[in-house]
Amino acid sequence: AQKITQTQPGMFVQEKEAVTLDCTYDTSDPSYGLFWYKQPSSGEMIFLIYQGSYDQQNATEGRYSLNFQKARKSANLVISASQLGDSAMYFCAMRELGQAGGYNKLIFGAGTRLAVHP
Amino acid sequence: NAGVMQNPRHLVRRRGQEARLRCSPMKGHSHVYWYRQLPEEGLKFMVYLQKENIIDESGMPKERFSAEFPKEGPSILRIQQVVRGDSAAYFCASSPPTGVGYTFGSGTRLTVV
């Protein structure tokens, strides 16, 4: 069965420093996708970055980058130059192909709460 | 181009009442997914619907929960005879006909008192 593990319940970082949030996954499907979402205290789910299993390069989106190590089955999120507004819950998720095909369910990890200190 | 619209944002129900949560997908999206987030947990898949069809309800509790996505109007997640354990955030997401690519709504926070 597919599974996402986030082993860091909480992390803190000084403003302007970089931080890495860990995510490991387990799947036997050769084709999969990995997502990171941010959930601020207001509660909405904000998409940050996506990595496909066949993508040759690590995904980057502004200050966010995904350190994708396929052999280790890890997809860590790196946030550079942290800002106070980055304080939030962060969820790693994996796409699971639906049994009927043609759609995707997401499997989420338990999340990591990031606190950025001034 | 409005995103995925969920309402209400907050809903309070007494034990035994019914809760109705609404989701209007993004324009051009015909696929709707519902997820539940219990306190301090990640989101868990509940059900996937296309217009007038439930395709995958493998994550739905067997009793009291139902979902629909009619030809006209929003998708509805209905919880009958709510209990305290139903208190959670319920998120809707929509995707285009390809089924790939997600946009989440802001969620409905259900509190059962």
Side-chain angles (χ1 to χ4, degrees):
Chain A
Q2 296 179 313
K3 188 178 178 183
I4 290 280
T5 303
Q6 294 181 255
T7 56
Q8 307 154 313
M11 290 280 286
F12 71 87
V13 64
Q14 290 293 127
E15 195 178 8
K16 298 179 185 175
E17 292 187 350
V19 62
T20 298
L21 306 183
D22 294 342
C23 173
T24 58
Y25 61 92
D26 191 17
T27 180
S28 56
D29 194 341
S31 176
Y32 53 90
L34 296 153
F35 301 76
W36 277 92
Y37 285 88
K38 173 184 178 181
Q39 187 177 44
S41 56
S42 52
E44 68 268 33
M45 295 292 287
I46 301 169
F47 167 76
L48 295 178
I49 197 166
Y50 170 79
Q51 179 86 42
S53 58
Y54 294 120
D55 293 344
Q56 294 297 314
Q57 295 189 333
N58 287 348
T60 61
E61 290 285 349
R63 293 186 300 111
Y64 304 108
S65 60
L66 203 151
N67 184 2
F68 182 46
Q69 298 189 38
K70 203 168 180 177
R72 292 187 176 184
K73 292 190 175 180
S74 74
N76 299 339
L77 177 70
V78 180
I79 306 175
S80 62
S82 298
Q83 303 172 355
L84 295 178
D86 294 334
S87 294
M89 281 290 286
Y90 288 81
F91 291 98
C92 181
M94 180 166 60
R95 184 186 71 211
E96 176 185 38
L97 188 62
Q99 290 178 346
Y103 68 100
N104 299 284
K105 302 189 283 192
L106 295 185
I107 301 167
F108 283 82
T112 296
R113 186 173 298 279
L114 176 67
V116 180
H117 295 176
Chain B
N1 184 15
V4 178
M5 304 301 291
Q6 286 190 252
N7 64 82
R9 282 297 302 272
H10 300 276
L11 183 61
V12 179
R13 284 287 176 266
R14 294 186 186 280
R15 280 178 294 172
Q17 289 185 321
E18 178 180 287
R20 279 181 176 245
L21 288 62
R22 295 175 201 80
C23 169
S24 296
M26 280 184 71
K27 188 176 180 181
H29 284 194
S30 56
H31 297 201
V32 166
Y33 305 76
W34 285 94
Y35 287 79
R36 178 166 66 174
Q37 184 181 28
L38 295 172
E40 303 302 317
E41 293 187 11
L43 280 66
K44 298 276 193 322
F45 170 80
M46 298 180 75
V47 62
Y48 161 63
L49 310 102
Q50 295 177 15
K51 284 283 188 183
E52 300 184 279
N53 282 305
I54 297 174
I55 307 300
D56 182 341
E57 55 182 348
S58 58
M60 287 279 270
K62 297 285 184 241
E63 297 177 349
R64 301 187 297 107
F65 284 72
S66 63
E68 62 177 11
F69 189 16
K71 188 175 179 181
E72 302 289 338
S75 176
I76 306 286
L77 180 67
R78 183 182 177 206
I79 311 171
Q80 295 177 289
Q81 298 171 358
V82 296
V83 301
R84 287 238 170 97
D86 296 332
S87 295
Y90 292 83
F91 286 90
C92 168
S94 73
S95 71
T98 56
V100 179
Y102 264 61
T103 302
F104 278 95
S106 297
T108 292
R109 272 110 193 121
L110 172 66
T111 303
V112 180
V113 296

